């Protein structure tokens, strides 16, 4: 995708943003809904699936291993599963494209089935080491032949019955946790994962939703002990995938910052391991009302009604970083228009995302007139108190979708339009972004 000519765009605001919109489905939940539906006996349906390249790679892989998966005209997906233990040997290698989530979770599923599967991926995915998943799955009895450094292409020889293990996560990783739990589905006895630092818990919630026997306890040190009973029988489900909170962040912040706005973002997932941004915006004085709170597939969901607000700068506690690590670029834009100073710390991980998000945001915000000081592990921002930024610059987004969307929102609160050098990468997470912002009243040239 990134070898195409760049598609620049200039964003500016014509006045208050208004309307009701829906953001694309949550990626983490989309992957898991396809995998678990494919292991349930009977027909499951999924609505609101994120139809990006990564999730389609998961659909293709489950199809290759025997599940019947169809997308209806109305965008509703129907899955006839093979049952736990029923995965078939695929006829050829499974191509994971660029999806690390698909690869690591599917390795877990395959590990406790008596089949041999080869995983391949694109150049970027083939650089990413899989050792942290290979390690626990090997303890369960699966055998691996990987490229040097535990990389793809990789061949996995699954085993049945596999051996249940108690595995303490050496590094906080929802993907490793999920891989072990998914392997435990077809393993006799009880498989346990001990998680010293909590990570997103979509797998636990959805496994329970599909009727797996799963329990979560805390040990004396506060670590979570997640136990799953194997040889599970999963019951088919009807799943409505909640809107991705990381995507909802952009229209929400735009509505807070543009005076007089009144925007409702429908069906947003509010899993506490993911929704830290909305909490921080509320602490800053943002008017975000949760309408029609409900639970869908074990996940908390609500419609967010957001009105133009005067934000106040705050010190953001490092404790909340894990639940909003992807949302700091757009928070920095909100801070640039708040009254007073916003201080963020503990963001070292942002330097190794799709780009160095601390440096890139600092540079871009300065270029459009914000007052920003960069520290080792965060930014200190002195806001304008609601005055528009100068704008007028062209921002290099460094092929990073979240940087591109953050500066698009900044353009809506700048005197002169803000131009993003390339909006193409936005298609990875939020293909309808430009149309959605236009529908609310933004102008994009």
């Amino acid at each position: 995708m990134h070898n195409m000519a760049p598609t620049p765009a200039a964003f500016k605001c014509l006045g208050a943003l208004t309307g009701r919109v829906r953001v694309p489905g949550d990626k983490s939940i989309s992957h898991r809904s396809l995998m678990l539906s494919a292991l349930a006996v009977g027909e499951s349906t999924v609505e609101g699936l994120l139809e990006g390249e990564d999730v389609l790679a998961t659909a293709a892989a489950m199809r290759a291993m025997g599940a019947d998966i169809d997308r209806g005209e109305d965008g509703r997906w129907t899955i006839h599963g093979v049952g736990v233990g029923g995965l078939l040997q695929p006829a050829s290698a499974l191509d994971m494209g660029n999806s690390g989530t698909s690869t690591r979770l599917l390795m877990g599923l395959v590990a406790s089935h008596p089949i041999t599967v080869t995983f391949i991926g694109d150049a970027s995915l083939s650089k990413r080491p899989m050792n942290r998943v290979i390690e626990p799955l090997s303890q369960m009895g699966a055998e691996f032949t990987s490229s040097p450094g535990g990389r793809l292409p990789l061949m996995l020889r699954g085993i049945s019955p596999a051996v249940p293990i108690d595995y303490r996560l050496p590094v906080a990783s929802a993907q490793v946790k999920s891989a072990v739990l998914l392997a435990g589905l077809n393993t006799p006895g009880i498989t346990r994962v001990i998680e010293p630092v909590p990570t997103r818990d979509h797998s636990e919630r959805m496994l329970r939703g599909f009727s797996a026997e799963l329990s979560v306890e805390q040990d004396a040190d506060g670590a979570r002990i997640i136990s799953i009973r194997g040889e599970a029988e999963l019951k088919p489900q009807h799943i409505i995938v909640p809107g991705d909170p990381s995507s909802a962040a952009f229209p929400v912040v735009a509505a807070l910052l543009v005076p007089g706005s009144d925007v409702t973002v429908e069906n947003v997932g509010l899993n506490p391991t993911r929704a830290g941004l909305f909490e921080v915006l509320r602490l800053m004085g943002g008017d975000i009302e949760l309408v029609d709170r409900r639970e869908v597939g074990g996940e908390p969901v609500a419609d967010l009604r957001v009105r133009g607000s005067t934000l106040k700068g705050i010190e953001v506690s490092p404790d909340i970083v894990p639940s909003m690590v992807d949302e700091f670029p757009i928070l920095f834009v909100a801070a640039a228009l708040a009254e007073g100073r916003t201080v963020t710390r503990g963001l070292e991980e942002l330097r190794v995302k799709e780009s160095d998000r601390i440096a890139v945001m600092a540079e871009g915000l300065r270029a459009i007139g914000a007052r920003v000081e960069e520290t080792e592990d965060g930014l200190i921002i002195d806001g304008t108190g609601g005055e528009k930024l100068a704008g007028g610059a062209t921002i290099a987004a460094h092929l990073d979708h979240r940087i591109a969307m953050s500066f698009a929102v900044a353009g809506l609160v700048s005197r002169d339009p803000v131009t993003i050098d390339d909006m193409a990468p936005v298609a990875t997470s939020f293909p309808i972004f430009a149309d959605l912002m236009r529908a609310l009243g933004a102008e994009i040239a």
Side-chain angles (χ1 to χ4, degrees):
M1 184 175 85
H2 298 320
N3 48 14
M4 303 189 322
T7 48
F11 288 76
K12 66 178 187 189
C13 201
L14 303 175
L17 301 173
T18 55
R20 296 182 74 87
V21 289
R22 214 164 242 250
V23 296
D26 183 280
K27 188 153 64 165
S28 301
I29 296 173
S30 293
H31 282 301
R32 289 160 174 81
S33 66
L34 286 172
M35 290 180 195
L36 295 183
S37 295
L39 287 178
V41 175
E43 177 178 294
S44 295
T45 52
V46 182
E47 290 179 51
L49 191 82
L50 173 64
E51 297 181 359
E53 291 162 17
D54 287 6
V55 174
L56 297 179
T58 292
M62 297 318 296
R63 237 183 234 125
M65 292 189 284
D68 199 353
I69 303 182
D70 288 303
R71 181 189 187 278
E73 294 289 302
D74 55 0
R76 176 190 290 236
W77 291 66
T78 309
I79 299 105
H80 290 269
V82 294
V84 171
L87 292 179
L88 304 176
Q89 172 93 35
S92 54
L94 300 183
D95 187 349
M96 297 288 100
N98 186 37
S99 180
T101 305
S102 308
T103 311
R104 294 186 177 116
L105 270 54
L106 286 170
M107 284 165 65
L109 277 187
V110 167
S112 57
H113 283 74
I115 58 177
T116 298
V117 174
T118 300
F119 292 92
I120 59 175
D122 70 7
S124 148
L125 182 62
S126 302
K127 289 196 186 84
R128 297 169 67 178
M130 298 293 158
N131 286 333
R132 50 187 183 174
V133 188
I134 291 174
E135 203 309 291
L137 297 178
S138 299
Q139 289 178 29
M140 297 178 79
E143 292 179 17
F144 294 83
T145 312
S146 65
S147 303
R151 293 179 168 82
L152 303 190
L154 170 156
M155 189 170 82
L156 193 179
R157 195 176 291 103
I159 185 169
S160 180
V163 182
I165 59 170
D166 287 6
Y167 189 69
R168 190 181 183 90
L169 290 176
V171 52
S173 165
Q175 291 182 358
V176 177
K177 166 175 69 173
S178 300
V180 176
L181 293 173
L182 291 172
L185 272 176
N186 195 44
T187 300
I190 296 191
T191 298
R192 289 189 189 83
V193 177
I194 297 119
E195 182 177 56
V197 180
T199 62
R200 46 184 71 177
D201 63 353
H202 299 299
S203 293
E204 294 96 304
R205 287 170 184 261
M206 195 177 286
L207 281 162
R208 277 207 188 109
F210 274 87
S211 312
E213 270 186 63
L214 180 139
S215 65
V216 181
E217 294 152 345
Q218 287 217 326
D219 71 8
D221 305 329
R224 294 172 75 228
I225 303 171
I226 307 146
S227 309
I228 189 163
R229 181 178 291 281
E231 300 179 300
E233 282 187 39
L234 300 186
K235 309 256 187 305
Q237 300 297 309
H238 170 60
I239 294 177
I240 301 168
V241 178
D244 195 315
S246 301
S247 297
F250 300 100
V252 163
V253 169
L256 288 174
L257 296 184
V258 177
S261 295
D262 186 347
V263 168
T264 297
V265 187
E266 298 174 348
N267 189 47
V268 179
L270 294 176
N271 184 308
T273 63
R274 303 277 306 282
L277 173 73
F278 306 128
E279 205 177 306
V280 168
L281 291 170
R282 276 224 191 79
L283 289 173
M284 295 173 78
D287 182 350
I288 303 175
E289 185 189 345
L290 303 186
V291 182
D292 185 16
R293 301 177 71 154
R294 52 207 187 264
E295 195 163 284
V296 180
E299 293 278 348
V301 171
D303 301 339
L304 303 186
R305 184 175 181 192
V306 187
R307 282 167 273 216
S309 304
T310 309
L311 301 181
K312 306 243 185 308
I314 62 166
E315 287 216 14
V316 180
S317 159
D319 297 343
I320 204 164
V321 171
S323 66
M324 57 174 292
V325 72
D326 287 331
E327 281 67 69
F328 277 95
I330 190 64
L331 177 69
F332 295 151
V333 174
L337 280 112
E339 282 176 7
R341 171 170 283 195
T342 298
V343 180
T344 60
R345 310 192 299 283
L347 307 185
E348 302 87 349
E349 196 188 323
L350 263 67
R351 294 203 183 268
V352 294
K353 287 283 183 182
E354 281 86 335
S355 66
D356 175 345
R357 286 181 173 162
I358 294 179
V360 171
M361 287 303 302
E363 185 188 349
L365 283 168
R366 278 196 203 104
I368 58 174
R371 286 177 298 171
V372 183
E373 183 190 330
E374 185 178 337
T375 62
E376 196 63 15
D377 64 342
L379 295 181
I380 297 169
I381 298 176
D382 288 298
T384 62
E387 290 295 309
K388 288 189 167 183
L389 294 165
T394 294
I395 302 293
H398 297 271
L399 297 178
D400 185 328
H401 54 134
R402 298 199 201 279
I403 300 284
M405 290 186 279
S406 297
F407 282 105
V409 170
L412 308 187
V413 285
S414 295
R415 286 192 295 278
D416 292 320
V418 172
T419 303
I420 318 304
D421 66 345
D422 187 9
M423 288 298 288
V426 168
T428 60
S429 66
F430 200 164
I432 59 168
F433 174 74
D435 295 338
L436 181 146
M437 296 308 291
R438 249 191 216 107
L440 293 176
E443 187 181 319
I444 307 173

